[in-house]
Amino acid sequence: LEFRRVLFRSMKLAGKTNAELMELRRQIEQAPENKMPPGTSIWIYTAAARKKLDAIDRAITHNMAEKRKAEGNPVPPDGYSGRQTNRP
């Protein structure tokens, strides 16, 4: 977990908007040096690219949570949505 925080800070993602993060994600996905050679692995992207993409995904999630919190509709940390079910 600490490594991901360091990676998040080192990529300077904290002040970026979701549109900027999506553009950065697209650039990483399209760069040929970030892709594994075909037939060499089950992964599409290299380990470094996967770490960057994971950090970007976490930044987008954080931005969405902050936006909801600012609107007065925060997501509980346990993930409970309040949905009612008919289960016994």
Side-chain angles (χ1 to χ4, degrees), residues 35-41 43-44:
K35 294 189 179 184
M36 296 291 286
T40 59
S41 175
W43 300 104
I44 296 173

Side-chain angles (χ1 to χ4, degrees), residues 16-78:
K16 295 193 182 290
T17 64
N18 281 353
E20 292 171 332
L21 291 168
M22 291 301 294
E23 176 61 24
L24 182 59
R25 181 178 175 77
R26 188 188 63 74
Q27 290 173 2
I28 291 171
E29 288 175 343
Q30 290 183 349
E33 64 270 8
N34 291 331
K35 294 189 179 184
M36 296 291 286
T40 59
S41 175
I42 62 170
W43 300 104
I44 296 173
Y45 303 107
T46 62
R50 290 193 311 265
K51 289 175 187 174
K52 290 175 187 177
L53 291 172
D54 184 51
I56 291 169
D57 290 343
R58 289 177 184 273
I60 290 171
T61 302
H62 178 73
N63 284 352
M64 291 170 69
E66 289 296 318
K67 180 181 176 186
R68 285 184 62 132
K69 191 185 298 183
E71 292 172 351
N73 189 17
V75 177
D78 59 359

